[in-house]
Amino acid sequence: MTAATHSTLFPQVPDTADAVLDGLDPEQREVATALHGPVCVLAGAGTGKTRAITHRIAYGVRAGILQPSSVLAVTFTNRAAGEMRGRLRQLGAGGVQARTFHSAALRQLQYFWPKAVGGSLPRLIDRKIQLVADAAAACRIRLDRGELRDVTAEIEWSKVTQTVPADYAAVAAKTGRQSPRDPAEIAQLYATYEDLKRDRAVIDFEDVLLLTVAILQDRHDIAEQVRSQYQHFVVDEYQDVSPLQQRLLELWLGERDSLCVVGDASQTIYSFTGATPDHLLDFRTRHPGATVVKLVRDYRSSPQVVHLANGLLSQARGRAADHRLELISQRAPGPEPVYAEYTDEPAEAEGAARRIRDLIASGIPAGEIAVLFRTNSQSEIYEQALADAGVPYQLRGAERFFDRPEVRKAGAALRAAARFGANDSLLDDVVDLPSQVRAVLSGEGWTSQPPAGSGAVRERWESLAALVHLAQDFAAAKQGATLGDLVAELDERASAQHAPTVQGVTLASLHSAKGLEWDVVFLVGVAEGMMPITYAKTDEQIEEERRLLYVGVTRAREHLLVSWALSRSPGGRPNRRPSRFLDGLRPGSVATAGRSVGGGSGGIERGIGSSGGTVVRRTSRTPARCRVCGRTLTDAGEMKLMRCEDCPSDMDEGLYERLREWRAVQAQRSGQPAFCVFTDKTLMAIAEAAPDDEGELARIPGVGVRKFNRFGADVLAICAGQEPADSGEGD
């Protein structure tokens, strides 16, 4: 193991408070040292927000400004909370509470229920779908399995938006919500569901928040007791807060303003659950004196991936889009995103599996590759394709690693072996720790070679193999480590939900991929009807679909492959088209005001936007042809030049050099690589065409709507031999 790997897996606790700040960039350091009053951190994807806020908490604790027991850090998933606890422990701030909203509320509810209500807290049900089915039966309403899920989701939305059954129909109409059934029926089912819960003395997940809010509102003595315990709050993923969670946060805070929130409106993808970015976007209105810090340095993704991500958001509309963050990659250049079109979905899955097999053969670990899709129903075809190609995979969304039965059983076997030590016959003549672990786990079904095929047997083997890999890393990092040391490490990780990486390609929906990252990401099924999905009708729903694709793009560190299929099944009618979100971003396409239907060049139309400014849009297009020989062009580079590579060029060399000098200035001002302004091919095309007016410039591929609006005046001035105006500010 290298020194770098060692320090990553088992870092040293910083010696001093100031040492906690080492390695932070200027904006992250500003976050870490802003310890008083309200703080709002607007953090783009891959900008190190978790690093910034954990170092902020640790710096406050180590400097004596914050008491560990008085800090409550809140996030949205157990995995994120576990990661935060692990990082805080490594920074010497292990006494800080890091929990989900529900976990923190449940602890308070369990503690205060006897005092506030009396008796024991009603039983918490894990799943409400059976109770919804019973409510439907009581109402004599027939629901199939899909309708049951939809009605359950509608009840959950109602509760987190604090909508009671009697108000459901009116609120759904006011918010434009599409009810899965008649709103009056939903209200009836909702009311009956609540009655059944009371009759059976049970509560559901949302009740945990509702009841905690009710107690804190009604019992000022209990509210003050909570506020005396927790005096400083940090909320991660603040764009995903629901009205109910916001109300709970306000009750925790009271009249104080010791609050730090972190979020990105462009990653709001859970509005169907009641999440809204309004609390994040309105933070400065509610807290006029708040410190606001923007994190835009992207440490995760290559400039090419970041360029595509920024391009996606540049076409967005709405309030979240108005507050988008323009990311600036801090990584070395990587490969351009790859776009692939297939005849049908099985061909798309097989194509992805072949590419993945080749990537693994080239040295990329399977665990650093992900296949992301819009709906879980798309996973099966990729599971089969990967299994057929002999590629290991894991399906995200199953139970947490340390909750898996095989992992629990393996942990018990390792614990027993550590306890009995030399008396365990399995360990006779086995000296080093990794060999001991392999010997113990062989009794649990682990083998040196994975089983053939896919399914439960393969998933079980992958879990045990992850424990073997962890033992190898642990032994390399800690000389002389014993089996007992490893068991203690596993217990600590289980407590923090810090699972080792299972070495398999990850299959996941775009929603479940939030917060994760890989070296290689395959975005599959990026076609109209799936992205945006068919039932996204309103402008708000369409924009959320765009943000979902943005989240998918920003999961990739270096390699990004985007694909779509023209039909669902072999021999099917090829009537699908690539997603409109790729218009103007993928080679051979240009941005359009409406639905894209093909590739090639087009004209422009000018009009007045809603804000009164001039808007430039692409009009319909024809196939791109070489302007010298007339041949149809398919290569992206040739399409930018509008000629074959081997056809003669009539480029104005002087104009080309002036354009390059101008581009260098623009790149320096924006802090981006030069190709993010215009690529060399686009500059060559401009220098060859030497456009005289906006129409000629707009017809050059590579000059999309956004770049036309931003740089068009400068480019035309340079082409006319004039000095460009200063256009370096903003978009």
Side-chain angles (χ1 to χ4, degrees):
M1 177 181 291
T2 66
T5 305
H6 180 286
S7 64
T8 300
L9 288 172
F10 307 98
Q12 296 295 313
V13 175
D15 295 332
T16 64
D18 287 341
V20 172
L21 303 177
D22 291 346
L24 299 182
D25 68 31
E27 294 79 22
Q28 291 171 344
R29 182 178 284 257
E30 185 179 355
V31 172
T33 54
L35 293 169
H36 301 285
V39 178
C40 179
V41 183
L42 302 175
T47 57
K49 66 179 179 65
T50 305
R51 176 179 174 82
I53 58 176
T54 52
H55 281 69
R56 177 182 187 272
I57 295 169
Y59 177 71
V61 169
R62 300 291 297 276
I65 299 171
L66 303 176
Q67 293 300 313
S69 60
S70 72
V71 180
L72 178 59
V74 188
T75 188
F76 280 80
T77 66
N78 287 314
R79 186 196 63 78
E83 180 186 357
M84 193 176 290
R85 286 193 295 270
R87 292 199 192 194
L88 289 169
R89 190 171 64 245
Q90 292 163 1
L91 293 168
V96 173
Q97 292 291 309
R99 297 186 175 277
T100 65
F101 270 103
H102 284 87
S103 172
L106 182 59
R107 278 171 61 92
Q108 293 174 19
L109 195 60
Q110 290 169 331
Y111 184 80
F112 290 113
W113 185 269
K115 179 179 179 180
V117 181
S120 58
L121 182 69
R123 180 174 63 87
L124 177 63
I125 56 174
D126 293 330
R127 298 174 71 247
K128 58 174 68 69
I129 198 163
Q130 183 56 53
L131 209 56
V132 174
D134 293 345
C139 295
R140 301 182 180 232
I141 296 174
R142 297 191 58 169
L143 299 176
D144 61 28
R145 184 178 299 179
E147 289 174 320
L148 264 178
R149 286 197 300 268
D150 291 341
V151 171
T152 300
E154 208 63 13
I155 290 173
E156 290 173 351
W157 174 83
S158 300
K159 299 184 77 164
V160 300
T161 56
Q162 302 177 83
T163 302
V164 297
D167 295 340
Y168 171 79
V171 173
K174 182 179 179 181
T175 58
R177 190 165 181 87
Q178 292 181 321
S179 300
R181 292 182 70 94
D182 181 87
E185 282 189 340
I186 298 289
Q188 182 187 6
L189 288 165
Y190 180 11
T192 306
Y193 168 82
E194 292 296 317
D195 291 340
L196 286 176
K197 282 203 291 102
R198 279 190 291 273
D199 293 344
R200 300 178 186 183
V202 296
I203 59 175
D204 62 26
F205 209 47
E206 290 71 40
D207 288 331
V208 171
L209 300 184
L210 284 164
L211 292 170
T212 306
V213 164
I215 288 174
L216 295 178
Q217 284 180 159
D218 296 343
R219 293 289 300 267
H220 297 291
D221 57 329
I222 292 177
E224 287 306 316
Q225 190 173 342
V226 171
R227 291 166 192 159
S228 67
Q229 168 71 47
Y230 296 117
Q231 297 164 13
H232 189 85
F233 294 86
V234 177
V235 184
D236 193 13
E237 303 287 4
Y238 194 54
Q239 78 278 352
D240 291 332
V241 166
S242 70
L244 180 57
Q245 289 164 333
Q246 175 65 20
R247 180 61 186 140
L248 178 59
L249 179 61
E250 291 167 354
L251 289 166
W252 282 340
L253 273 168
E255 297 301 318
R256 299 165 302 174
D257 63 359
S258 187
L259 170 66
C260 174
V261 300
V262 189
D264 178 10
S266 296
Q267 295 189 69
T268 305
I269 58 173
Y270 297 109
S271 66
F272 60 90
T273 67
T276 169
D278 289 345
H279 305 300
L280 174 67
L281 299 178
D282 293 337
F283 190 84
R284 282 168 285 187
T285 303
R286 296 196 311 275
H287 303 278
T291 299
V292 179
V293 184
K294 293 184 179 181
L295 303 182
V296 296
R297 301 176 196 248
D298 189 319
Y299 297 95
R300 175 188 299 158
S301 303
S302 69
Q304 287 76 8
V305 173
V306 167
H307 182 57
L308 175 57
N310 286 337
L312 277 172
L313 291 189
S314 72
Q315 301 176 1
R317 300 290 180 268
R319 194 171 183 219
D322 292 340
H323 293 80
R324 68 183 179 88
L325 299 167
E326 186 92 8
L327 299 178
I328 303 172
S329 176
Q330 304 298 299
R331 292 187 52 147
E336 291 286 346
V338 174
Y339 299 87
E341 183 176 276
Y342 294 91
T343 55
D344 51 64
E345 288 184 2
E348 185 181 6
E350 290 164 10
R354 282 195 303 272
R355 286 179 181 265
I356 290 170
R357 186 178 57 198
D358 293 343
L359 287 167
I360 294 173
S362 72
I364 296 177
E368 288 297 343
I369 302 174
V371 178
L372 307 182
F373 31 75
R374 176 62 180 84
T375 67
N376 285 318
S377 63
Q378 294 170 270
S379 74
E380 183 180 358
I381 193 169
Y382 288 92
E383 292 180 58
Q384 188 61 54
L386 290 173
D388 291 345
V391 174
Y393 68 88
Q394 55 175 329
L395 185 61
R396 182 161 180 80
E399 68 266 60
R400 295 176 296 187
F401 182 83
F402 287 103
D403 291 340
R404 297 176 187 174
E406 66 269 20
V407 174
R408 287 186 171 189
K409 193 177 177 188
L414 291 170
R415 195 171 290 108
R419 189 181 305 120
F420 292 111
N423 294 324
D424 192 326
S425 59
L426 274 172
L427 304 183
D428 287 348
D429 302 322
V430 180
V431 178
D432 65 289
L433 176 60
S435 296
Q436 290 177 339
V437 171
R438 286 193 289 268
V440 173
L441 296 187
S442 66
E444 302 301 318
W446 180 81
T447 58
S448 59
Q449 295 298 318
S454 59
V457 173
R458 179 57 180 257
E459 290 175 3
R460 185 172 182 275
W461 182 90
E462 294 286 0
S463 296
L464 298 179
L467 291 174
V468 172
H469 292 313
L470 177 62
Q472 292 168 344
D473 290 341
F474 186 72
K478 186 173 182 179
Q479 295 298 320
T482 66
L483 200 53
D485 294 332
L486 177 64
V487 168
E489 172 71 11
L490 291 176
D491 288 342
E492 197 168 275
R493 282 173 174 251
S495 176
Q497 283 301 326
H498 182 191
T501 301
V502 176
Q503 280 304 310
V505 173
T506 299
L507 298 178
S509 71
L510 287 164
H511 282 102
S512 65
K514 179 87 161 31
L516 303 176
E517 59 187 77
W518 296 269
D519 284 345
V520 184
V521 168
F522 286 75
L523 293 176
V524 299
V526 188
E528 286 291 307
M530 195 59 76
M531 180 60 66
I533 202 153
T534 305
Y535 53 74
K537 302 294 186 184
T538 67
D539 290 344
E540 291 80 6
Q541 291 167 339
I542 295 293
E543 288 306 316
E544 182 149 339
E545 292 288 298
R546 187 194 306 276
R547 294 194 295 270
L548 188 56
L549 182 58
Y550 171 79
V551 167
V553 168
T554 55
R555 300 311 94 196
R557 297 191 191 104
E558 186 172 8
H559 298 275
L560 180 64
L561 300 97
V562 184
S563 65
W564 58 90
L566 297 179
S567 67
R568 180 171 184 177
S569 55
R573 200 173 159 195
N575 55 359
R576 292 182 176 178
R577 294 292 181 266
S579 169
R580 70 190 73 174
F581 301 144
L582 300 178
D583 289 353
L585 301 175
R586 62 184 176 87
S589 73
V590 295
T592 57
R595 175 60 237 134
S596 169
V597 294
S601 60
I604 62 167
E605 61 182 26
R606 300 176 63 83
I608 304 299
S610 58
S611 61
T614 300
V615 177
V616 177
R617 299 185 179 92
R618 290 288 187 182
T619 59
S620 59
R621 296 154 291 156
T622 56
R625 298 185 183 279
C626 174
R627 55 191 169 80
V628 179
C629 69
R631 183 178 67 84
T632 299
L633 302 175
T634 56
D635 178 77
E638 292 183 341
M639 291 174 74
K640 283 190 175 181
L641 292 175
M642 289 304 292
R643 63 172 175 82
C644 304
E645 283 279 3
D646 53 357
C647 281
S649 168
D650 53 355
M651 183 175 70
D652 182 334
E653 295 285 349
L655 174 57
Y656 180 68
E657 287 305 317
R658 291 195 299 277
L659 288 168
R660 281 175 58 87
E661 291 170 4
W662 166 84
R663 181 181 67 172
V665 172
Q666 299 302 316
Q668 185 176 17
R669 284 175 173 168
S670 65
Q672 293 182 314
F675 71 81
C676 290
V677 180
F678 284 120
T679 64
D680 286 345
K681 283 281 173 58
T682 300
L683 289 189
M684 290 174 64
I686 294 171
E688 289 184 356
D692 293 324
D693 56 39
E694 292 177 338
E696 291 181 9
L697 177 60
R699 282 192 289 271
I700 297 174
V703 182
V705 172
R706 176 169 163 268
K707 291 185 179 181
F708 181 96
N709 288 330
R710 184 173 185 181
F711 301 125
D714 276 12
V715 171
L716 288 172
I718 295 170
C719 291
Q722 302 167 359
E723 285 295 320
D726 185 356
S727 66
E729 299 299 325
D731 226 353

